[in-house]
Amino acid sequence: MRLQDRLKRDWRFWRGLSRTLKRVKSIGPESDNLLCDDLQSSVDSWRNRRALTFEGTTLTYGEMDALANRYANWGRSQNLRRGQTVALFMPNRIEYFPIWYGLSKIGVVTALINNQLVGQALAHCLNISGATHVILDSETVLAFEAAQSLLSKPMIQWVHGLVHGTQRDMVQTLRSCSQLPPDRSVRSGMTASDPVLYIYTSGTTGLPKAAKISHMRAQLYMRGFAGATGATLNDRVYITLPLYHATGGLCGLGVALLNGGSAVLKTRFSATRFWPDVVEEGATMFVYIGELCRYLVNHPPSEDERRHKLRLAFGNGLSADVWGEMRPRFHVPDVLEFYGSTEGNVSMFNFDGKVGAIGRTPKWLGNRYNFKLVQFDLETEEPVRSISGLCVAAGTDQIGECLGKIAAHDPRAEFTGYVDKAASDKKILRDVFEKGDAWFRTGDLMQMDADGYYYFIDRIGDTFRWKGENVSTGEVTSHLQTAPGVLEAIVYGVAVPGAEGRAGMVGLVVSETFDLKVFSDYVSQALPSYAQPVFLRLLPTIVTTGTFKYRKVDLVRDGFSPDEIKDKVFYRTPAKGYVRLTRPTYAKILDQGVKL
């Protein structure tokens, strides 16, 4: 890289980092300045500016705050005290943010429940929240009632919509609640280390866990992104992500509401409506996660995709192939990719826009970051330890697990954990680089290059061994998603009787132009033999979580049995490539009569 280009890159990185650090430097665990105080400051500064827009309704900062105050005073009328919990189980609505913002004014914690959950998963999330009140709407009330018998204790239902039986009308009740703010003395003695929200993990590999989000941690999200994006009061952020998740509900809203800008909220993502909405609403930014951007590039072109005023897309999980196509096709000037997790203490930004990188730690910043990569043993799924018993740092271009050092009094390095203490303990690794230290396990395998850029490789558990080689599902997926006729791909390992390790299997969503022979030839050329999927399953759609993360657990459980799977399943042969898997062939594979 030329010196001029290197200096330009480093200057861009430094500007982004400086903006971010400036916004978060005053955050501290002992501070009595809470998240609601940050938001109140915005209200006082921009009371008459628009803040939230949803389905044609717009609230100014003052109106948003008045609605939040009604919820705060509702909470007081129900004798809810600080530290107690209210469950919020609704899709995105204009009231969603004002509900938990208002409850935070009286010290009440809000558990943000994924509105797509049903049955046991829903009951589990409600039970571990410890809430006695749940706020619902007409979409979610049926799912709640269906799961009621699984609850460990009864909950009072407050419904935005028609009510019956013992349900209570939230809209009617709010009319009698004051829109004046509760006295600040209500939260006297509280500090930024106190909890404000429970945000749940996606549950891609099991039941969701409730991460405890302190005021301090929420401030880091909201203030951090308000600085990192360089947003101003002229920015308008388009948010189609669920507000129960940190990326949309904290990062996205923080960019808008802590800078005097505004947010456009949608109930859910729609590839068809995305560009018309962005143009119509005059959005200048949008926030993404997971495969949202892939859905956009897979969608047929339209005039609106280049008529917008967007200047930045920010989020995480943007793959290099989509990134490379998105910017020139949609004319989005800048992309800010970041890495982080709801509960973790590791965060990084790719401020200078290196395609495919999730973040960077320039050498000139030394060891000022709290995270490191350590060598990892895929067989034991544990970090490698030396004779001394300590972990071994991963070198340049070496794949390792990313760990974040836990420091109790550093807001950027805290780990507040989950409501379930046992689940929290499993995420802590001790005696890493010195006896007695403690580090958060991200569970993510990464690689750092010589310039300090980090690249996501895979989730631990997704990488598997086949024919004595380590296979990264992430790397194989990135190759297969660019194959002719492939719209989406999800790669995972399945157990095969008598075979060591796990055989690769890919689930594909394909277009009308997909050709099995062409795909087979592509696989032969793009991947080494051990990484070529042994089995192929054609899917009508790929199930994702509400935050567009692929849910592999059900596919892994199905395996490759034609008796368990209604979709077409194929297996790879040396001579013919992929051929249809029949029941007789399946039986031969189980009896080890077919060489895979």
Side-chain angles (χ1 to χ4, degrees), residues 496-517:
V496 178
E500 186 177 336
R502 287 185 289 158
M505 186 165 185
V506 59
L508 297 179
V509 177
V510 299
S511 69
E512 294 178 356
T513 63
F514 178 78
D515 183 282
L516 196 61
K517 176 67 167 58

PDB file of all heavy atoms in Angstrom, residues 496-517:
ATOM      1  N   VAL A 496     -22.387 -38.794  10.406  1.00  0.00           N
ATOM      2  CA  VAL A 496     -22.589 -39.945   9.518  1.00  0.00           C
ATOM      3  C   VAL A 496     -22.071 -41.182  10.243  1.00  0.00           C
ATOM      4  O   VAL A 496     -20.913 -41.209  10.661  1.00  0.00           O
ATOM      5  CB  VAL A 496     -21.828 -39.773   8.180  1.00  0.00           C
ATOM      6  CG1 VAL A 496     -22.025 -41.001   7.298  1.00  0.00           C
ATOM      7  CG2 VAL A 496     -22.293 -38.519   7.468  1.00  0.00           C
ATOM      8  N   PRO A 497     -22.922 -42.213  10.420  1.00  0.00           N
ATOM      9  CA  PRO A 497     -22.481 -43.416  11.135  1.00  0.00           C
ATOM     10  C   PRO A 497     -21.199 -44.007  10.537  1.00  0.00           C
ATOM     11  O   PRO A 497     -21.073 -44.139   9.319  1.00  0.00           O
ATOM     12  CB  PRO A 497     -23.661 -44.380  10.953  1.00  0.00           C
ATOM     13  CG  PRO A 497     -24.846 -43.485  10.782  1.00  0.00           C
ATOM     14  CD  PRO A 497     -24.334 -42.298  10.021  1.00  0.00           C
ATOM     15  N   GLY A 498     -20.231 -44.295  11.402  1.00  0.00           N
ATOM     16  CA  GLY A 498     -18.994 -44.924  10.970  1.00  0.00           C
ATOM     17  C   GLY A 498     -17.956 -43.974  10.416  1.00  0.00           C
ATOM     18  O   GLY A 498     -16.840 -44.391  10.102  1.00  0.00           O
ATOM     19  N   ALA A 499     -18.314 -42.698  10.274  1.00  0.00           N
ATOM     20  CA  ALA A 499     -17.368 -41.719   9.723  1.00  0.00           C
ATOM     21  C   ALA A 499     -16.838 -40.839  10.841  1.00  0.00           C
ATOM     22  O   ALA A 499     -17.572 -40.462  11.759  1.00  0.00           O
ATOM     23  CB  ALA A 499     -18.050 -40.859   8.666  1.00  0.00           C
ATOM     24  N   GLU A 500     -15.571 -40.496  10.749  1.00  0.00           N
ATOM     25  CA  GLU A 500     -14.970 -39.627  11.749  1.00  0.00           C
ATOM     26  C   GLU A 500     -15.293 -38.173  11.423  1.00  0.00           C
ATOM     27  O   GLU A 500     -15.236 -37.753  10.271  1.00  0.00           O
ATOM     28  CB  GLU A 500     -13.451 -39.824  11.753  1.00  0.00           C
ATOM     29  CG  GLU A 500     -12.741 -39.060  12.854  1.00  0.00           C
ATOM     30  CD  GLU A 500     -11.253 -39.341  12.872  1.00  0.00           C
ATOM     31  OE1 GLU A 500     -10.848 -40.418  12.371  1.00  0.00           O
ATOM     32  OE2 GLU A 500     -10.503 -38.502  13.367  1.00  0.00           O
ATOM     33  N   GLY A 501     -15.635 -37.417  12.426  1.00  0.00           N
ATOM     34  CA  GLY A 501     -15.983 -36.013  12.228  1.00  0.00           C
ATOM     35  C   GLY A 501     -17.411 -35.863  11.736  1.00  0.00           C
ATOM     36  O   GLY A 501     -18.275 -36.704  11.989  1.00  0.00           O
ATOM     37  N   ARG A 502     -17.659 -34.774  11.020  1.00  0.00           N
ATOM     38  CA  ARG A 502     -18.988 -34.511  10.482  1.00  0.00           C
ATOM     39  C   ARG A 502     -18.883 -34.163   9.000  1.00  0.00           C
ATOM     40  O   ARG A 502     -17.957 -33.477   8.573  1.00  0.00           O
ATOM     41  CB  ARG A 502     -19.650 -33.338  11.228  1.00  0.00           C
ATOM     42  CG  ARG A 502     -20.103 -33.703  12.639  1.00  0.00           C
ATOM     43  CD  ARG A 502     -20.846 -32.548  13.268  1.00  0.00           C
ATOM     44  NE  ARG A 502     -19.944 -31.443  13.596  1.00  0.00           N
ATOM     45  CZ  ARG A 502     -20.337 -30.182  13.760  1.00  0.00           C
ATOM     46  NH1 ARG A 502     -21.605 -29.864  13.595  1.00  0.00           N
ATOM     47  NH2 ARG A 502     -19.454 -29.243  14.071  1.00  0.00           N
ATOM     48  N   ALA A 503     -19.843 -34.654   8.244  1.00  0.00           N
ATOM     49  CA  ALA A 503     -19.875 -34.385   6.812  1.00  0.00           C
ATOM     50  C   ALA A 503     -20.537 -33.043   6.557  1.00  0.00           C
ATOM     51  O   ALA A 503     -21.530 -32.692   7.195  1.00  0.00           O
ATOM     52  CB  ALA A 503     -20.631 -35.490   6.083  1.00  0.00           C
ATOM     53  N   GLY A 504     -19.998 -32.299   5.591  1.00  0.00           N
ATOM     54  CA  GLY A 504     -20.578 -31.006   5.261  1.00  0.00           C
ATOM     55  C   GLY A 504     -21.902 -31.159   4.537  1.00  0.00           C
ATOM     56  O   GLY A 504     -22.084 -32.036   3.699  1.00  0.00           O
ATOM     57  N   MET A 505     -22.853 -30.289   4.897  1.00  0.00           N
ATOM     58  CA  MET A 505     -24.149 -30.267   4.223  1.00  0.00           C
ATOM     59  C   MET A 505     -24.516 -28.812   3.980  1.00  0.00           C
ATOM     60  O   MET A 505     -24.248 -27.944   4.805  1.00  0.00           O
ATOM     61  CB  MET A 505     -25.208 -30.961   5.069  1.00  0.00           C
ATOM     62  CG  MET A 505     -26.564 -31.105   4.377  1.00  0.00           C
ATOM     63  SD  MET A 505     -27.617 -32.309   5.239  1.00  0.00           S
ATOM     64  CE  MET A 505     -29.039 -32.366   4.136  1.00  0.00           C
ATOM     65  N   VAL A 506     -25.105 -28.547   2.822  1.00  0.00           N
ATOM     66  CA  VAL A 506     -25.501 -27.185   2.502  1.00  0.00           C
ATOM     67  C   VAL A 506     -26.990 -27.149   2.187  1.00  0.00           C
ATOM     68  O   VAL A 506     -27.517 -28.016   1.484  1.00  0.00           O
ATOM     69  CB  VAL A 506     -24.690 -26.623   1.311  1.00  0.00           C
ATOM     70  CG1 VAL A 506     -24.875 -27.464   0.056  1.00  0.00           C
ATOM     71  CG2 VAL A 506     -25.067 -25.174   1.040  1.00  0.00           C
ATOM     72  N   GLY A 507     -27.657 -26.168   2.758  1.00  0.00           N
ATOM     73  CA  GLY A 507     -29.042 -25.883   2.399  1.00  0.00           C
ATOM     74  C   GLY A 507     -29.045 -24.692   1.456  1.00  0.00           C
ATOM     75  O   GLY A 507     -28.415 -23.671   1.734  1.00  0.00           O
ATOM     76  N   LEU A 508     -29.718 -24.816   0.327  1.00  0.00           N
ATOM     77  CA  LEU A 508     -29.718 -23.763  -0.684  1.00  0.00           C
ATOM     78  C   LEU A 508     -31.126 -23.263  -0.976  1.00  0.00           C
ATOM     79  O   LEU A 508     -32.075 -24.051  -1.074  1.00  0.00           O
ATOM     80  CB  LEU A 508     -29.111 -24.265  -2.002  1.00  0.00           C
ATOM     81  CG  LEU A 508     -27.643 -24.694  -2.026  1.00  0.00           C
ATOM     82  CD1 LEU A 508     -27.284 -25.176  -3.429  1.00  0.00           C
ATOM     83  CD2 LEU A 508     -26.734 -23.561  -1.600  1.00  0.00           C
ATOM     84  N   VAL A 509     -31.244 -21.946  -1.118  1.00  0.00           N
ATOM     85  CA  VAL A 509     -32.414 -21.337  -1.740  1.00  0.00           C
ATOM     86  C   VAL A 509     -31.935 -20.879  -3.116  1.00  0.00           C
ATOM     87  O   VAL A 509     -30.952 -20.142  -3.226  1.00  0.00           O
ATOM     88  CB  VAL A 509     -32.931 -20.135  -0.932  1.00  0.00           C
ATOM     89  CG1 VAL A 509     -34.112 -19.480  -1.642  1.00  0.00           C
ATOM     90  CG2 VAL A 509     -33.342 -20.581   0.469  1.00  0.00           C
ATOM     91  N   VAL A 510     -32.613 -21.328  -4.154  1.00  0.00           N
ATOM     92  CA  VAL A 510     -32.085 -21.109  -5.508  1.00  0.00           C
ATOM     93  C   VAL A 510     -33.094 -20.379  -6.390  1.00  0.00           C
ATOM     94  O   VAL A 510     -34.297 -20.345  -6.103  1.00  0.00           O
ATOM     95  CB  VAL A 510     -31.680 -22.448  -6.165  1.00  0.00           C
ATOM     96  CG1 VAL A 510     -30.591 -23.126  -5.357  1.00  0.00           C
ATOM     97  CG2 VAL A 510     -32.896 -23.370  -6.324  1.00  0.00           C
ATOM     98  N   SER A 511     -32.572 -19.820  -7.474  1.00  0.00           N
ATOM     99  CA  SER A 511     -33.430 -19.151  -8.465  1.00  0.00           C
ATOM    100  C   SER A 511     -33.832 -20.146  -9.541  1.00  0.00           C
ATOM    101  O   SER A 511     -33.396 -21.306  -9.543  1.00  0.00           O
ATOM    102  CB  SER A 511     -32.671 -17.982  -9.089  1.00  0.00           C
ATOM    103  OG  SER A 511     -31.606 -18.464  -9.910  1.00  0.00           O
ATOM    104  N   GLU A 512     -34.630 -19.677 -10.499  1.00  0.00           N
ATOM    105  CA  GLU A 512     -35.089 -20.545 -11.582  1.00  0.00           C
ATOM    106  C   GLU A 512     -33.944 -20.958 -12.502  1.00  0.00           C
ATOM    107  O   GLU A 512     -34.051 -21.934 -13.239  1.00  0.00           O
ATOM    108  CB  GLU A 512     -36.173 -19.828 -12.394  1.00  0.00           C
ATOM    109  CG  GLU A 512     -37.455 -19.569 -11.606  1.00  0.00           C
ATOM    110  CD  GLU A 512     -38.477 -18.812 -12.433  1.00  0.00           C
ATOM    111  OE1 GLU A 512     -38.140 -18.425 -13.583  1.00  0.00           O
ATOM    112  OE2 GLU A 512     -39.592 -18.598 -11.934  1.00  0.00           O
ATOM    113  N   THR A 513     -32.841 -20.221 -12.459  1.00  0.00           N
ATOM    114  CA  THR A 513     -31.711 -20.530 -13.350  1.00  0.00           C
ATOM    115  C   THR A 513     -30.748 -21.547 -12.748  1.00  0.00           C
ATOM    116  O   THR A 513     -29.770 -21.920 -13.395  1.00  0.00           O
ATOM    117  CB  THR A 513     -30.922 -19.239 -13.670  1.00  0.00           C
ATOM    118  OG1 THR A 513     -30.367 -18.716 -12.448  1.00  0.00           O
ATOM    119  CG2 THR A 513     -31.826 -18.188 -14.306  1.00  0.00           C
ATOM    120  N   PHE A 514     -31.011 -22.001 -11.530  1.00  0.00           N
ATOM    121  CA  PHE A 514     -30.097 -22.926 -10.858  1.00  0.00           C
ATOM    122  C   PHE A 514     -30.010 -24.240 -11.623  1.00  0.00           C
ATOM    123  O   PHE A 514     -31.026 -24.824 -12.021  1.00  0.00           O
ATOM    124  CB  PHE A 514     -30.576 -23.195  -9.432  1.00  0.00           C
ATOM    125  CG  PHE A 514     -29.707 -24.179  -8.687  1.00  0.00           C
ATOM    126  CD1 PHE A 514     -28.497 -23.788  -8.147  1.00  0.00           C
ATOM    127  CD2 PHE A 514     -30.113 -25.501  -8.523  1.00  0.00           C
ATOM    128  CE1 PHE A 514     -27.694 -24.690  -7.453  1.00  0.00           C
ATOM    129  CE2 PHE A 514     -29.326 -26.406  -7.824  1.00  0.00           C
ATOM    130  CZ  PHE A 514     -28.121 -25.994  -7.289  1.00  0.00           C
ATOM    131  N   ASP A 515     -28.776 -24.698 -11.829  1.00  0.00           N
ATOM    132  CA  ASP A 515     -28.525 -25.964 -12.519  1.00  0.00           C
ATOM    133  C   ASP A 515     -27.620 -26.815 -11.636  1.00  0.00           C
ATOM    134  O   ASP A 515     -26.530 -26.388 -11.274  1.00  0.00           O
ATOM    135  CB  ASP A 515     -27.855 -25.704 -13.880  1.00  0.00           C
ATOM    136  CG  ASP A 515     -27.633 -26.985 -14.669  1.00  0.00           C
ATOM    137  OD1 ASP A 515     -26.668 -27.721 -14.352  1.00  0.00           O
ATOM    138  OD2 ASP A 515     -28.416 -27.242 -15.598  1.00  0.00           O
ATOM    139  N   LEU A 516     -28.062 -28.013 -11.309  1.00  0.00           N
ATOM    140  CA  LEU A 516     -27.341 -28.868 -10.384  1.00  0.00           C
ATOM    141  C   LEU A 516     -25.952 -29.232 -10.903  1.00  0.00           C
ATOM    142  O   LEU A 516     -24.978 -29.263 -10.147  1.00  0.00           O
ATOM    143  CB  LEU A 516     -28.151 -30.137 -10.105  1.00  0.00           C
ATOM    144  CG  LEU A 516     -27.737 -30.963  -8.879  1.00  0.00           C
ATOM    145  CD1 LEU A 516     -27.883 -30.152  -7.609  1.00  0.00           C
ATOM    146  CD2 LEU A 516     -28.583 -32.232  -8.786  1.00  0.00           C
ATOM    147  N   LYS A 517     -25.860 -29.489 -12.205  1.00  0.00           N
ATOM    148  CA  LYS A 517     -24.560 -29.840 -12.794  1.00  0.00           C
ATOM    149  C   LYS A 517     -23.592 -28.642 -12.739  1.00  0.00           C
ATOM    150  O   LYS A 517     -22.408 -28.798 -12.404  1.00  0.00           O
ATOM    151  CB  LYS A 517     -24.761 -30.279 -14.241  1.00  0.00           C
ATOM    152  CG  LYS A 517     -23.462 -30.590 -15.007  1.00  0.00           C
ATOM    153  CD  LYS A 517     -22.754 -31.818 -14.449  1.00  0.00           C
ATOM    154  CE  LYS A 517     -21.660 -32.325 -15.384  1.00  0.00           C
ATOM    155  NZ  LYS A 517     -20.624 -31.338 -15.704  1.00  0.00           N
TER     156      LYS A 517
END
